[in-house]
Amino acid sequence: MSPQRHRLAAGGRIDRSRPLNFTFNGRRFEGYAGDTLASALIANGVTPVARSFKYHRPRGIVGAGAEEPNAIVQLETGARTQPNQRATRVELYDGLTAASVNCWPSVNFDLGAVNNLLKRLLPAGFYYKTFMWPPGFWMRYEYFIRRAAGLGKAPAAPDPDRYDKMHCHADVLVVGGGPSGLAAALAAGRTGARVILADGQNEFGGALLDGGAEIDGGPALDWVAAAVAELEAMAEVRLLPRATVAGYYDHNYLTIVERVTDHLGAAAPANLPRQRLWKVRAGQVVLATGSVERPLVFADNDRPGIMLASAAATYVNRYAAKPGSRAVVFTNNDSAYRVALDLAEAGIEVAAVVDPRPEPEGPLPARTRARGIEVLGGQAVVAAHGGGRVAAVEVMGLDQAGGGVIGESRRVRCDLVCVSGGWNPTVHLFSQSGGRLRYDDALAGFVPDRSAQAERSVGAAAGTFALADCLARGFEAGLEAAAEAGFRRKGRSRRAPKAPAQEEAPLRPFWVVPSTVARGRGTKHFIDLQNDVTVADVALAVREGYRSAEHLKRYTTMGMGTDQGKIGNVTGLAVLSELVDADIPSVGTTTFRPPYTPVGFGLLAGREVGALADPVRKTAIHRWHEDRGAAFEDVGQWKRPWYFPRAGESMHDAVNRECLAVRNSVGVMDASTLGKIDIQGPDALRLLNWVYTNAWDNLKIGRCRYGLMLGEDGMVMDDGVTTRLAEHHYLMTTTTGGAAGVLAWLEMWLQTEWLDLKVHLTSVTEHWATVAVAGPRARELLSALTSDIDLSAKAFPFMSMRAGTVAGVPARVFRISFTGELSFEINVPASYGMAVWNAVMMAGEKYGVTPFGTEAMHILRAEKGYIIVGDETDGTTTPGDVGMDWIVSKKKPDFIGKRSLSRPDTAREGRKQLVGLLTQDPKEVLPEGGQIVAEPEKKPPMKMIGHVTSSYWSASLGRSIALALVYGGHKRHGETVHVPLIGKTVSAVVSEPRFYDPEGVRLRG
Amino acid sequence: MKKYSIFSLVRNAVSYHERWSEAWRSPEPKGAYEVVIVGGGGHGLATAYYLAKEHGITNVAVVEKGWLGLGNTGRNTTIIRSNYLWDESAHLYEKSLQLYEGLSQELNFNIMLSQRGCLNLAHNQHDLRQLSRRVNAIRLNGIDSEILTAGQIKALVPILNCSPTARYPVLGGSLQRRGGTARHDAVAWAFARAADARGVDIIQNCEVTGIRRDGGRVTGVETTKGLIKAGKVGVVVAGHASVLAEMVGLRLPIESHPLQALVSEPIKPVLDTVVMSAAVHVYLSQSDKGELVLGAGIDSYNSYAQRGSLPIIEHMLAACVDLFPIVSRLRMLRQWAGIVDVCPDASPIVGKTPVEGFYVNFGWGTGGFKATPGSGWVFAYTIAQDRPHPLNEPFSLERFHTGYLVDEHGAAGVAH
Ligand SMILES: Cc1cc2nc3c(=O)[nH]c(=O)nc-3n(C[C@H](O)[C@H](O)[C@H](O)COP(=O)(O)OP(=O)(O)OC[C@H]3O[C@@H](n4cnc5c(N)ncnc54)[C@H](O)[C@@H]3O)c2cc1C
């Protein structure tokens, strides 16, 4: 392992007593606790760390935070691998393994760099202009393009980690734990308000972590420590470090991504989730999100070793890592002078500070000069030289307007260039919240203007940079926010923390350095480093008419990388405005959309995956079915027994056996999944009359009636039997899959249109277990289990209900039938379901009682021509279409769907109507979903006259049967139609859709 | 129009790409046009192009309130397919797909039509029955479609969770091999450039604020750049159909909803086909840049604000992680929403109105990108001939009175 050659001997917030080993691109290195991967790489002098997306140019680390465009790595390997991690945001841990992405065979020698040689052929949007020949070849080109694109790799295995979600409320949510945010949290917290303070970094302090500053007369970091301690002691304050606020939605709803065990390596406690998604509904929000430095653009400004001045300061001060040994500082504002001084203090030679401002004056330039550093006023870095790393820069004088270079060029040797083009307030969350931005000329950047939600931006995020002002404004905002949330300051008033005033000269707005060669000729001026978008690309886009900020972004891909253009976007707009000769505010800004930084899919999914993706519903009798080896089918969320195969039986055998048992003796089915809605209230009857097509007025207590429910469009929506239990008490059943939808439908009407109806609905689906006993011997079987219900046909007629006891359990028994056989549906409280089922099985032993599943049920009902909503109907089917005109009341003044039924097309003759189909070869079972034609000899596109809705082998009839919807079907009985399939066409005769016991003798018996 | 090709690219490389000309002009509006198209999305631009090309009507303006192509055209998930259940839809979308298949050459702009296939999954017996019905209908309509078994699906999409114990097991699926994606921006730009070359004026940053009429006949549009007279006006404003219709006193059976989408960070290829699951409500593809592109159903509330709600995103990703377990550690890079105008039958309205010379083309809901060239083609015909083409005749406004609906709701599930 190599020593940390670029580690400063002292200083920094790293823990030198805790060395950590890590591997990068296969080489082993050492860093310290407190490092990020980026700072550890710098401390080890590793460069380049990455290749760019398009030209595969070597790249180094540019930033120190979320803005990093270059240092994108693949973290770890195997199932826990993560693509596209920013090295600047990965906290170092022991055993960390990372690699550069999108380069081959290695970051130092990358074959993709051939693109850099071809770069003149690859301007912005080149792919729109080529790859069109020969026609149809695009997908072959695309094959290679796809393989060349993409950064890291997805894991190859499922995610072994867990993710949690937290919902909470806050009176005041403070985003960002720098000086402004801490001051705001302190002020708000002291009022007793419930405060959450979230910060993406592993410790609070924000920009203060870089050291140097003073607050309340002492080192700023002492103040930070005291502030954090005070906040920690407050009962109503929650501190969330390592927690990035990612999204700002309507109604002050924000999401926070907390990295719980990320970057802890082997030390991560196994009981904790990897990450937590906090979903916060905040009374008030204080955005103290700071700012991001932006670069100045010059020729070949992408060389490794060229970085943001603030980042260089962070590496030196916070991490004691030396990003270079001889630096040039290039800045249009005072802040980077402080960096020059810090570098010098750390023993890094500062060759010069280059400043486009003609005469840099004021305390900072003066201190810099006093330190012996040359200050080159009115000059600019025009180009960088070097291969794998910057080796020198060229410096030239600027003309008055900054539009041209003058004088001789001077070459300055260096291996580090620290650039500062000013600061962009981090307005992403503000913009997401719907707030309007304003361009501030003095700052040359966008700042929050008008809030759209209960929110205030403070500190650098609002364009306030002086520490003293940040503290004062943060404190004040904390008090205001708390007050608006209903919390006033209590007790003795405390004053805001104070910091010494600083004097800084204004910046000179400056974006792209002019050069002696026309831009885009030979050298490249990069605006978006990750996507390799240059000034020439922007110029090309503008030349071609892509002049709006949005068009520009889409045409050049500027700002579309994983860094979302955090350092380049404003520069890009400035270049655009210059080219179209308009001011920056009028070319506008692109909208910031959530998230601020990328959020894991797994985190957003949370626990709702795998078995918890959707509740699995099982009936009270499920265990029995499982024990008997039932095959199940999914119906909505329910698991229903599909059929009960015996040893050696195929599905076909089992289903035939089940069907015959019901027809010839007795079968039993678990019908618990049917939706059940308990309806009570004096207006229950009115509700039924509204939602069903038939009339309900004369239904006697204890009687059942079948009903069809239509949508407003007159199409069948659901069906089921409703029973009158008492004067104002009904039990409605629905289809298994439709239960929730029907309840929601009824509630929608009750809550939006029929507020006057006195009626209450309760879903009781899961309260009852339903055992359906069906077949000619059903009565005999049941009579052994009940003594208090007279089962005789006279006393207990078809379509009625009796309450009593079955197998000693209080039960409601319904005499209804979906199989066409004599049938009783025993409803008992769900907890007794299994007991009653077992009692039925025992009592039925002597009749050979046979459990049957949904497949047999489907066949039995099809033999009778009963429809299944969703099979024989598809949302375009009226009651008349399925031959159920009889159920549509002609007398009722109105019901849902009535008006639509009279529309010309709905009332028309010849619609798709329900018929039976009997194949010419009785052994041939038509496939469900087969399309029906009259002229099978034609070639596609063919005229289709209908489709097969249900189709089975009927063991009872010894032949196949099918139901179908056919245009004008009611008048086609006897006609032969055809179903073209792949490789053959099946012919069938249209029939009445009732194949078995059409008079219904058996079910009334 | 200067031709794009590898040769022009090389030639321009020599002059450092400093000689390319603008893809379209930005003219000031003339006082009057034969036809004014309101809405500079893909459909509006395509309409103008086909008016010029197919019907020789070049005195046309496309009036766009913002910049062209940044409405739903620039926000959609770019899925293209023609595997629709009903004959009416199948024929219209198939016409569109066929136009797409020659579009890069016809417009001399690479729209990156990538027919890597579009797969619809079935997760239960009911889904399988529906799938079979659809595939049979689509095939008999002369459109490619096939049923795949779970095994074939696993081979086609290795990252799909095909475990039989999955919460939503994959029991089968249907595949349209000619389905796929195209680059949405390129479609808008290509039509804009080609229409402009044929003399169409594309007027950006010009909002239509009123419709001028004389008796029962349209005479022009009032805009933020003044009155523009017009013999005929075609309105193609996804997301704002009701607002424009209101200007002539038409009430529409349309509801406007946010529809959301998101992309992951770019990764190396893991998915070639478009995969859609109506049952779990998610669909997924991978762009040429490497981003996974995801969509789901609409937000249920009505809105004109192009913002969606978080729960939709959470559900979409839960479904996605469940179907594709390896994506769990990928990250959402961007999320956004567009406003979609949805008709009760989830089919568009393309045709004439009671106002003479006033034609409408909207209500494409969640799935109109795939229809862009076809929609423009039939709409140009409708405007030029003052009567619908047989392909769009069923999609009239009157169908909501007659009940002749083309209901793609139940049958289509997630309809993108
Ligand atoms: C998130 C999302 C995903 C989608 N995914 C798919 C998909 O995968 N496949 C698919 O086929 N479809 C998809 N769609 C649907 C598809 O995007 C649209 O149906 C289609 O793009 C509509 O095209 P358009 O040209 O009519 O509309 P738009 O592109 O929205 O154009 C309408 C234009 O009208 C302009 N306008 C409005 N009012 C005025 C006025 N008063 N004056 C002047 N101009 C005006 C608007 O500014 C806009 O530019 C999706 C939609 C969304 C939102």
mmCIF file of all heavy atoms in Angstrom, chain A residues 152-186:
data_model
loop_
_atom_site.group_PDB
_atom_site.id
_atom_site.type_symbol
_atom_site.label_atom_id
_atom_site.label_comp_id
_atom_site.label_asym_id
_atom_site.label_seq_id
_atom_site.Cartn_x
_atom_site.Cartn_y
_atom_site.Cartn_z
ATOM 1 N N GLY A 152 -22.420 3.669 -15.029
ATOM 2 C CA GLY A 152 -22.097 2.441 -14.297
ATOM 3 C C GLY A 152 -22.984 1.283 -14.681
ATOM 4 O O GLY A 152 -23.754 1.344 -15.635
ATOM 5 N N LYS A 153 -22.847 0.213 -13.895
ATOM 6 C CA LYS A 153 -23.602 -1.006 -14.175
ATOM 7 C C LYS A 153 -24.591 -1.287 -13.056
ATOM 8 O O LYS A 153 -24.282 -1.098 -11.881
ATOM 9 C CB LYS A 153 -22.638 -2.191 -14.278
ATOM 10 C CG LYS A 153 -21.720 -2.112 -15.479
ATOM 11 C CD LYS A 153 -21.077 -3.481 -15.710
ATOM 12 C CE LYS A 153 -20.183 -3.458 -16.934
ATOM 13 N NZ LYS A 153 -18.763 -3.349 -16.606
ATOM 14 N N ALA A 154 -25.747 -1.811 -13.437
ATOM 15 C CA ALA A 154 -26.729 -2.235 -12.440
ATOM 16 C C ALA A 154 -26.219 -3.507 -11.774
ATOM 17 O O ALA A 154 -25.467 -4.257 -12.385
ATOM 18 C CB ALA A 154 -28.065 -2.504 -13.118
ATOM 19 N N PRO A 155 -26.639 -3.741 -10.530
ATOM 20 C CA PRO A 155 -26.285 -5.024 -9.917
ATOM 21 C C PRO A 155 -26.886 -6.154 -10.744
ATOM 22 O O PRO A 155 -27.837 -5.947 -11.499
ATOM 23 C CB PRO A 155 -26.944 -4.982 -8.540
ATOM 24 C CG PRO A 155 -27.358 -3.566 -8.328
ATOM 25 C CD PRO A 155 -27.501 -2.935 -9.677
ATOM 26 N N ALA A 156 -26.336 -7.355 -10.582
ATOM 27 C CA ALA A 156 -26.888 -8.481 -11.318
ATOM 28 C C ALA A 156 -27.825 -9.298 -10.436
ATOM 29 O O ALA A 156 -28.466 -10.229 -10.903
ATOM 30 C CB ALA A 156 -25.745 -9.358 -11.830
ATOM 31 N N ALA A 157 -27.902 -8.946 -9.173
ATOM 32 C CA ALA A 157 -28.714 -9.737 -8.248
ATOM 33 C C ALA A 157 -29.678 -8.819 -7.503
ATOM 34 O O ALA A 157 -29.478 -7.609 -7.453
ATOM 35 C CB ALA A 157 -27.807 -10.440 -7.261
ATOM 36 N N PRO A 158 -30.732 -9.392 -6.924
ATOM 37 C CA PRO A 158 -31.676 -8.576 -6.159
ATOM 38 C C PRO A 158 -30.982 -7.879 -4.992
ATOM 39 O O PRO A 158 -29.941 -8.320 -4.517
ATOM 40 C CB PRO A 158 -32.699 -9.592 -5.646
ATOM 41 C CG PRO A 158 -32.558 -10.780 -6.518
ATOM 42 C CD PRO A 158 -31.144 -10.794 -7.000
ATOM 43 N N ASP A 159 -31.592 -6.822 -4.536
ATOM 44 C CA ASP A 159 -31.042 -5.979 -3.488
ATOM 45 C C ASP A 159 -31.166 -6.669 -2.129
ATOM 46 O O ASP A 159 -32.261 -6.994 -1.698
ATOM 47 C CB ASP A 159 -31.855 -4.667 -3.487
ATOM 48 C CG ASP A 159 -31.206 -3.588 -2.660
ATOM 49 O OD1 ASP A 159 -30.330 -3.928 -1.841
ATOM 50 O OD2 ASP A 159 -31.580 -2.418 -2.844
ATOM 51 N N PRO A 160 -30.052 -6.911 -1.449
ATOM 52 C CA PRO A 160 -30.168 -7.569 -0.134
ATOM 53 C C PRO A 160 -30.605 -6.608 0.978
ATOM 54 O O PRO A 160 -30.877 -7.062 2.089
ATOM 55 C CB PRO A 160 -28.744 -8.072 0.126
ATOM 56 C CG PRO A 160 -27.856 -7.244 -0.729
ATOM 57 C CD PRO A 160 -28.671 -6.662 -1.850
ATOM 58 N N ASP A 161 -30.682 -5.316 0.694
ATOM 59 C CA ASP A 161 -30.951 -4.352 1.764
ATOM 60 C C ASP A 161 -32.423 -4.019 1.923
ATOM 61 O O ASP A 161 -33.238 -4.306 1.059
ATOM 62 C CB ASP A 161 -30.162 -3.059 1.506
ATOM 63 C CG ASP A 161 -28.688 -3.256 1.823
ATOM 64 O OD1 ASP A 161 -28.392 -3.945 2.811
ATOM 65 O OD2 ASP A 161 -27.858 -2.732 1.063
ATOM 66 N N ARG A 162 -32.721 -3.400 3.063
ATOM 67 C CA ARG A 162 -34.089 -2.993 3.372
ATOM 68 C C ARG A 162 -34.194 -1.471 3.412
ATOM 69 O O ARG A 162 -33.217 -0.784 3.700
ATOM 70 C CB ARG A 162 -34.487 -3.529 4.751
ATOM 71 C CG ARG A 162 -35.073 -4.919 4.733
ATOM 72 C CD ARG A 162 -35.371 -5.364 6.153
ATOM 73 N NE ARG A 162 -34.157 -5.375 6.951
ATOM 74 C CZ ARG A 162 -33.985 -4.696 8.093
ATOM 75 N NH1 ARG A 162 -34.963 -3.970 8.565
ATOM 76 N NH2 ARG A 162 -32.859 -4.751 8.748
ATOM 77 N N TYR A 163 -35.391 -0.986 3.186
ATOM 78 C CA TYR A 163 -35.614 0.459 3.189
ATOM 79 C C TYR A 163 -36.879 0.748 3.975
ATOM 80 O O TYR A 163 -37.850 0.014 3.872
ATOM 81 C CB TYR A 163 -35.768 0.978 1.757
ATOM 82 C CG TYR A 163 -34.584 0.627 0.907
ATOM 83 C CD1 TYR A 163 -34.531 -0.578 0.216
ATOM 84 C CD2 TYR A 163 -33.491 1.487 0.838
ATOM 85 C CE1 TYR A 163 -33.419 -0.926 -0.534
ATOM 86 C CE2 TYR A 163 -32.381 1.145 0.082
ATOM 87 C CZ TYR A 163 -32.348 -0.060 -0.605
ATOM 88 O OH TYR A 163 -31.250 -0.391 -1.341
ATOM 89 N N ASP A 164 -36.847 1.833 4.721
ATOM 90 C CA ASP A 164 -38.014 2.180 5.535
ATOM 91 C C ASP A 164 -38.522 3.558 5.186
ATOM 92 O O ASP A 164 -37.808 4.363 4.607
ATOM 93 C CB ASP A 164 -37.643 2.138 7.018
ATOM 94 C CG ASP A 164 -37.866 0.750 7.596
ATOM 95 O OD1 ASP A 164 -38.655 -0.002 6.997
ATOM 96 O OD2 ASP A 164 -37.254 0.440 8.623
ATOM 97 N N LYS A 165 -39.745 3.797 5.588
ATOM 98 C CA LYS A 165 -40.319 5.125 5.398
ATOM 99 C C LYS A 165 -40.822 5.643 6.732
ATOM 100 O O LYS A 165 -41.308 4.878 7.555
ATOM 101 C CB LYS A 165 -41.465 5.066 4.398
ATOM 102 C CG LYS A 165 -40.976 4.735 2.994
ATOM 103 C CD LYS A 165 -42.071 4.738 1.985
ATOM 104 C CE LYS A 165 -41.492 4.298 0.636
ATOM 105 N NZ LYS A 165 -42.519 4.141 -0.383
ATOM 106 N N MET A 166 -40.688 6.926 6.920
ATOM 107 C CA MET A 166 -41.190 7.569 8.128
ATOM 108 C C MET A 166 -42.104 8.711 7.696
ATOM 109 O O MET A 166 -41.766 9.462 6.790
ATOM 110 C CB MET A 166 -40.038 8.166 8.940
ATOM 111 C CG MET A 166 -39.056 7.158 9.471
ATOM 112 S SD MET A 166 -39.732 6.233 10.854
ATOM 113 C CE MET A 166 -39.480 7.404 12.170
ATOM 114 N N HIS A 167 -43.230 8.813 8.366
ATOM 115 C CA HIS A 167 -44.121 9.937 8.109
ATOM 116 C C HIS A 167 -44.063 10.837 9.326
ATOM 117 O O HIS A 167 -44.172 10.341 10.438
ATOM 118 C CB HIS A 167 -45.559 9.462 7.941
ATOM 119 C CG HIS A 167 -45.738 8.554 6.761
ATOM 120 N ND1 HIS A 167 -46.284 8.967 5.576
ATOM 121 C CD2 HIS A 167 -45.419 7.256 6.580
ATOM 122 C CE1 HIS A 167 -46.303 7.960 4.723
ATOM 123 N NE2 HIS A 167 -45.784 6.896 5.310
ATOM 124 N N CYS A 168 -43.867 12.113 9.128
ATOM 125 C CA CYS A 168 -43.934 12.953 10.320
ATOM 126 C C CYS A 168 -44.318 14.382 9.990
ATOM 127 O O CYS A 168 -44.297 14.820 8.837
ATOM 128 C CB CYS A 168 -42.642 12.907 11.110
ATOM 129 S SG CYS A 168 -41.246 13.519 10.241
ATOM 130 N N HIS A 169 -44.692 15.079 11.039
ATOM 131 C CA HIS A 169 -45.071 16.481 10.944
ATOM 132 C C HIS A 169 -44.011 17.310 11.639
ATOM 133 O O HIS A 169 -43.404 16.860 12.593
ATOM 134 C CB HIS A 169 -46.411 16.726 11.636
ATOM 135 C CG HIS A 169 -47.556 16.161 10.875
ATOM 136 N ND1 HIS A 169 -48.326 16.909 10.021
ATOM 137 C CD2 HIS A 169 -48.046 14.908 10.823
ATOM 138 C CE1 HIS A 169 -49.246 16.137 9.475
ATOM 139 N NE2 HIS A 169 -49.108 14.913 9.950
ATOM 140 N N ALA A 170 -43.809 18.510 11.125
ATOM 141 C CA ALA A 170 -42.903 19.426 11.806
ATOM 142 C C ALA A 170 -43.540 20.808 11.778
ATOM 143 O O ALA A 170 -44.205 21.154 10.805
ATOM 144 C CB ALA A 170 -41.561 19.461 11.098
ATOM 145 N N ASP A 171 -43.341 21.568 12.848
ATOM 146 C CA ASP A 171 -43.773 22.965 12.785
ATOM 147 C C ASP A 171 -42.846 23.724 11.847
ATOM 148 O O ASP A 171 -43.282 24.500 11.020
ATOM 149 C CB ASP A 171 -43.743 23.590 14.185
ATOM 150 C CG ASP A 171 -44.726 22.907 15.128
ATOM 151 O OD1 ASP A 171 -45.881 22.700 14.703
ATOM 152 O OD2 ASP A 171 -44.333 22.554 16.255
ATOM 153 N N VAL A 172 -41.553 23.454 12.027
ATOM 154 C CA VAL A 172 -40.568 24.116 11.172
ATOM 155 C C VAL A 172 -39.564 23.072 10.695
ATOM 156 O O VAL A 172 -38.954 22.384 11.507
ATOM 157 C CB VAL A 172 -39.820 25.227 11.953
ATOM 158 C CG1 VAL A 172 -38.795 25.902 11.044
ATOM 159 C CG2 VAL A 172 -40.796 26.250 12.512
ATOM 160 N N LEU A 173 -39.433 22.950 9.401
ATOM 161 C CA LEU A 173 -38.388 22.090 8.843
ATOM 162 C C LEU A 173 -37.286 23.000 8.325
ATOM 163 O O LEU A 173 -37.526 23.878 7.497
ATOM 164 C CB LEU A 173 -38.945 21.242 7.691
ATOM 165 C CG LEU A 173 -37.904 20.485 6.866
ATOM 166 C CD1 LEU A 173 -37.157 19.455 7.709
ATOM 167 C CD2 LEU A 173 -38.559 19.803 5.673
ATOM 168 N N VAL A 174 -36.084 22.821 8.854
ATOM 169 C CA VAL A 174 -34.951 23.617 8.395
ATOM 170 C C VAL A 174 -34.092 22.715 7.517
ATOM 171 O O VAL A 174 -33.679 21.640 7.935
ATOM 172 C CB VAL A 174 -34.127 24.153 9.587
ATOM 173 C CG1 VAL A 174 -32.960 24.996 9.075
ATOM 174 C CG2 VAL A 174 -35.007 24.964 10.526
ATOM 175 N N VAL A 175 -33.873 23.172 6.303
ATOM 176 C CA VAL A 175 -33.099 22.378 5.361
ATOM 177 C C VAL A 175 -31.706 22.968 5.257
ATOM 178 O O VAL A 175 -31.534 24.098 4.779
ATOM 179 C CB VAL A 175 -33.767 22.369 3.971
ATOM 180 C CG1 VAL A 175 -33.001 21.443 3.041
ATOM 181 C CG2 VAL A 175 -35.222 21.967 4.073
ATOM 182 N N GLY A 176 -30.730 22.228 5.706
ATOM 183 C CA GLY A 176 -29.356 22.705 5.624
ATOM 184 C C GLY A 176 -28.852 23.118 6.988
ATOM 185 O O GLY A 176 -29.482 23.944 7.655
ATOM 186 N N GLY A 177 -27.720 22.543 7.405
ATOM 187 C CA GLY A 177 -27.193 22.792 8.750
ATOM 188 C C GLY A 177 -25.918 23.604 8.741
ATOM 189 O O GLY A 177 -25.026 23.379 9.544
ATOM 190 N N GLY A 178 -25.816 24.552 7.842
ATOM 191 C CA GLY A 178 -24.728 25.524 7.869
ATOM 192 C C GLY A 178 -25.077 26.609 8.879
ATOM 193 O O GLY A 178 -26.024 26.468 9.652
ATOM 194 N N PRO A 179 -24.323 27.717 8.886
ATOM 195 C CA PRO A 179 -24.596 28.771 9.871
ATOM 196 C C PRO A 179 -26.033 29.282 9.829
ATOM 197 O O PRO A 179 -26.668 29.420 10.878
ATOM 198 C CB PRO A 179 -23.596 29.877 9.503
ATOM 199 C CG PRO A 179 -23.032 29.491 8.168
ATOM 200 C CD PRO A 179 -23.159 28.020 8.052
ATOM 201 N N SER A 180 -26.583 29.509 8.630
ATOM 202 C CA SER A 180 -27.948 30.057 8.557
ATOM 203 C C SER A 180 -28.954 29.059 9.092
ATOM 204 O O SER A 180 -29.871 29.417 9.837
ATOM 205 C CB SER A 180 -28.330 30.400 7.113
ATOM 206 O OG SER A 180 -27.232 30.827 6.387
ATOM 207 N N GLY A 181 -28.791 27.797 8.693
ATOM 208 C CA GLY A 181 -29.733 26.762 9.111
ATOM 209 C C GLY A 181 -29.647 26.502 10.597
ATOM 210 O O GLY A 181 -30.672 26.342 11.277
ATOM 211 N N LEU A 182 -28.433 26.450 11.121
ATOM 212 C CA LEU A 182 -28.279 26.226 12.565
ATOM 213 C C LEU A 182 -28.892 27.373 13.354
ATOM 214 O O LEU A 182 -29.589 27.150 14.353
ATOM 215 C CB LEU A 182 -26.794 26.081 12.920
ATOM 216 C CG LEU A 182 -26.167 24.713 12.618
ATOM 217 C CD1 LEU A 182 -24.645 24.784 12.787
ATOM 218 C CD2 LEU A 182 -26.751 23.623 13.521
ATOM 219 N N ALA A 183 -28.646 28.595 12.885
ATOM 220 C CA ALA A 183 -29.219 29.750 13.586
ATOM 221 C C ALA A 183 -30.740 29.689 13.543
ATOM 222 O O ALA A 183 -31.421 29.958 14.545
ATOM 223 C CB ALA A 183 -28.712 31.049 12.954
ATOM 224 N N ALA A 184 -31.289 29.304 12.389
ATOM 225 C CA ALA A 184 -32.750 29.210 12.256
ATOM 226 C C ALA A 184 -33.298 28.130 13.178
ATOM 227 O O ALA A 184 -34.311 28.322 13.868
ATOM 228 C CB ALA A 184 -33.121 28.913 10.806
ATOM 229 N N ALA A 185 -32.619 26.985 13.217
ATOM 230 C CA ALA A 185 -33.102 25.881 14.046
ATOM 231 C C ALA A 185 -33.045 26.252 15.519
ATOM 232 O O ALA A 185 -33.969 25.955 16.287
ATOM 233 C CB ALA A 185 -32.271 24.631 13.771
ATOM 234 N N LEU A 186 -31.966 26.932 15.911
ATOM 235 C CA LEU A 186 -31.844 27.355 17.312
ATOM 236 C C LEU A 186 -32.987 28.289 17.685
ATOM 237 O O LEU A 186 -33.664 28.114 18.701
ATOM 238 C CB LEU A 186 -30.524 28.099 17.526
ATOM 239 C CG LEU A 186 -29.278 27.254 17.767
ATOM 240 C CD1 LEU A 186 -28.063 28.172 17.877
ATOM 241 C CD2 LEU A 186 -29.435 26.425 19.049
#
